[in-house]
Amino acid sequence: MNFSFRSKARYFAVIFIFLISSFALADEFTSSSFKVLDPVIAPGGAGYSESSGFKLWSTMAEIALGVSDSLSFKVGAGFLKFPFASTPSLSATAGDGSVALSWTASTGFSGWTATSYDVGQSTASAGPYTYTNVGGVTSSTRASLTNGTTYYFVIVVKDAFGNAIATSTEISSTPVASTPGGGGGGGGGGGGGDDDEEGSADTGVIFSGRAYPLSKVSILKDGQLVLTTIAGPDSNFTANLTGLSSGNYTFAVYGEDSSGRRSSPFTFPIYITSGVLTRIGGIFIAPTIAVDKKQVKQGDTIAIFGQSAPSANVIINVNSENEIFVNQKSDSSGIYLLNFDSSVLEIGNHSTKSKASVNNEFSYFSNIVNFKVGTENISLDPTKKCAVRADLNGDCKVNLVDFSIAGFWYKKPLSLVFVNTEKEKLNGDGKVDLVDFSIMAFNWTG
């Protein structure tokens, strides 16, 4: 059969439209740099939308801006609506013509993966910054700086395609000329340096960040409580710890909400230089979280609540057969509450956790709270309080049984199950070492 040119054009046009239509209907987006397969969203708190004529479960495709809306609906799309890369906390230690920077690793979730970091540097607060990519490391020393000049730094988190997915808060530091060791003029400890066991008022750490309004913030050094402070009404806090000797330390910071619940700990290993005050800024303490039932009757609601910074965007994750994410706004006191409809959950064990964002800063996840979906409601006993940390076998005690469990994993590769336990209950660095035993000793109940 012979086709005219015009007939052939029509034929190929039909084939082309068919192929384009088939592609447009698929929940798969591609470009030269990425492919997104079946982005999952649970609309509202229920996980589905329905009317008399349809029920739509969980999956919606969104290509561009992350929010589509009209007078009758709004769709918040996948990882564009729920960015899950945590904001690095940044420390700066001034040296002679240099500043040593270190930061916490950004953790990605639900599609985000942090693969490298840019260091932004400026002599003006808020920039403009000059950026240097340092790869996947979490420390960098900025050299060839001018003593007496204040420099400002930020860390930008990049994904595998070079996209910026999180930015730290700004921190400043001023390089200073090194002081001759022996001469006159005192200056905090003679020629002691690393051998100065008593430490110096000029050697220490300045912590700053965000917790909950008027909450108690506790700081641990190598597992031992050394300092507490109270956050302001805006949830911001600053605390100074001085008199330290030079050396390596692991600091942990946690908040305590208005109901006495402790947050998951923020941990930061760092080397302290003699005669220098190191600044650790951008600490964003994770929300606290609790539920009102240890078992909820399928179809009833379970209350998920806690405290964070005031007017924070709290992202609540319910771990089910399909991951469910719900945005909830905290009030002026930082309190958030979600009455979650359990009809979308299967019978069995579930868990929930939360994280918060304020002004494009993102906390790490909270502690994990477990609950069950069953055939009846079983409330939690409000008088029964378990140890938040270090209770490895779930008996609400920290004793020799927990030490034996940790001892089994001491300096060994952790199993997939115990990795989550270590992250929730201990130091959260993916291994069991002396820092974890210090945490257990601090939380000892007998």
Side-chain angles (χ1 to χ4, degrees), residues 263-425:
S263 72
S264 57
F266 165 86
T267 58
F268 200 111
I270 195 170
Y271 181 83
I272 299 299
T273 302
S274 179
V276 175
L277 288 174
T278 297
R279 297 177 181 272
I280 302 178
I283 300 171
F284 195 163
I285 293 179
T288 57
I289 190 169
V291 294
D292 68 335
K293 303 177 183 73
K294 62 181 179 181
Q295 178 173 296
V296 58
K297 181 181 177 181
Q298 190 177 42
D300 286 358
T301 60
I302 181 170
I304 303 173
F305 55 94
Q307 191 171 13
S308 183
S311 302
N313 184 39
V314 181
I315 303 166
I316 300 168
N317 166 227
V318 178
N319 188 15
S320 180
E321 184 176 334
N322 292 315
E323 295 274 357
I324 298 172
F325 302 97
V326 183
N327 273 334
Q328 202 73 14
K329 201 79 170 177
S330 66
D331 65 16
S332 60
S333 298
I335 303 296
Y336 68 92
L337 167 65
L338 171 66
N339 288 309
F340 184 79
D341 181 359
S342 68
S343 62
V344 298
L345 302 178
E346 64 273 12
I347 297 289
N349 295 317
H350 300 272
S351 64
T352 184
K353 57 186 176 181
S354 64
K355 67 188 308 180
S357 68
V358 176
N359 297 330
N360 292 320
E361 297 174 34
F362 294 86
S363 76
Y364 291 83
F365 269 114
S366 69
N367 292 314
I368 297 172
V369 175
N370 298 307
F371 65 93
K372 292 182 178 181
V373 175
T375 57
E376 62 177 338
N377 289 320
I378 302 176
S379 297
L380 284 171
D381 181 359
T383 64
K384 184 178 181 180
K385 290 188 177 181
C386 292
V388 174
R389 302 192 67 192
D391 174 19
L392 302 184
N393 66 336
D395 63 354
C396 298
K397 300 176 183 177
V398 180
N399 53 28
L400 290 177
V401 175
D402 303 289
F403 271 78
S404 298
I405 295 171
F408 175 80
W409 294 108
Y410 181 66
K411 293 188 175 180
K412 292 181 182 178
L414 305 185
S415 69
L416 292 177
V417 174
F418 197 74
V419 162
N420 291 327
T421 301
E422 193 276 335
K423 183 177 293 186
E424 177 188 356
K425 298 293 185 179

Side-chain angles (χ1 to χ4, degrees), residues 42-345:
Y48 61 87
S49 301
E50 63 179 340
S51 73
S52 58
F54 75 91
K55 178 179 281 189
L56 173 63
W57 283 90
S58 289
T59 300
M60 283 190 170
E62 173 76 41
I63 295 177
L65 295 178
V67 174
S68 299
D69 60 9
S70 74
L71 295 178
S72 57
F73 76 90
K74 175 180 282 189
V75 176
F79 51 80
L80 297 174
K81 178 66 174 177
F82 301 102
F84 282 115
S86 59
T87 303
S89 296
L90 176 60
S91 76
T93 303
D96 189 350
S98 66
V99 173
L101 303 173
S102 62
W103 56 91
T104 55
S106 177
T107 56
F109 190 76
S110 188
W112 290 118
T113 301
T115 58
S116 67
Y117 302 92
D118 283 358
V119 176
Q121 176 181 315
S122 177
T123 54
S125 180
Y129 302 102
T130 300
Y131 292 96
T132 304
N133 186 272
V134 295
V137 300
T138 55
S139 63
S140 177
T141 298
R142 315 312 295 166
S144 302
L145 305 182
T146 302
N147 289 332
T149 298
T150 300
Y151 292 85
Y152 300 86
F153 303 94
V154 295
I155 301 298
V156 178
V157 185
K158 295 293 189 70
D159 66 10
F161 305 113
N163 300 310
I165 57 176
T167 303
S168 73
T169 56
E170 183 184 76
I171 197 168
S172 64
S173 187
T174 305
V176 291
S178 57
T179 303
D194 288 43
D195 298 322
D196 180 10
E197 295 186 1
E198 292 186 0
S200 164
D202 297 326
T203 304
V205 185
I206 301 174
F207 302 88
S208 62
R210 175 181 285 115
Y212 326 129
L214 301 176
S215 62
K216 183 170 78 171
V217 178
S218 299
I219 298 172
L220 285 70
K221 175 174 67 71
D222 295 333
Q224 302 298 314
L225 181 66
V226 292
L227 182 65
T228 61
T229 189
I230 301 296
D234 58 358
S235 79
N236 294 328
F237 70 88
T238 300
N240 298 349
L241 180 63
T242 58
L244 300 178
S245 301
S246 62
N248 290 300
Y249 297 91
T250 298
F251 293 101
V253 185
Y254 66 84
E256 190 171 311
D257 70 14
S258 56
S259 297
R261 290 180 293 264
R262 287 185 183 180
S263 72
S264 57
F266 165 86
T267 58
F268 200 111
I270 195 170
Y271 181 83
I272 299 299
T273 302
S274 179
V276 175
L277 288 174
T278 297
R279 297 177 181 272
I280 302 178
I283 300 171
F284 195 163
I285 293 179
T288 57
I289 190 169
V291 294
D292 68 335
K293 303 177 183 73
K294 62 181 179 181
Q295 178 173 296
V296 58
K297 181 181 177 181
Q298 190 177 42
D300 286 358
T301 60
I302 181 170
I304 303 173
F305 55 94
Q307 191 171 13
S308 183
S311 302
N313 184 39
V314 181
I315 303 166
I316 300 168
N317 166 227
V318 178
N319 188 15
S320 180
E321 184 176 334
N322 292 315
E323 295 274 357
I324 298 172
F325 302 97
V326 183
N327 273 334
Q328 202 73 14
K329 201 79 170 177
S330 66
D331 65 16
S332 60
S333 298
I335 303 296
Y336 68 92
L337 167 65
L338 171 66
N339 288 309
F340 184 79
D341 181 359
S342 68
S343 62
V344 298
L345 302 178

Side-chain angles (χ1 to χ4, degrees), residues 14-34:
V14 170
I15 296 297
F16 179 77
I17 291 170
F18 175 78
L19 292 174
I20 292 297
S21 299
S22 300
F23 174 78
L25 292 174
D27 288 324
E28 176 180 311
F29 315 137
T30 61
S31 78
S32 60
S33 59
F34 73 91

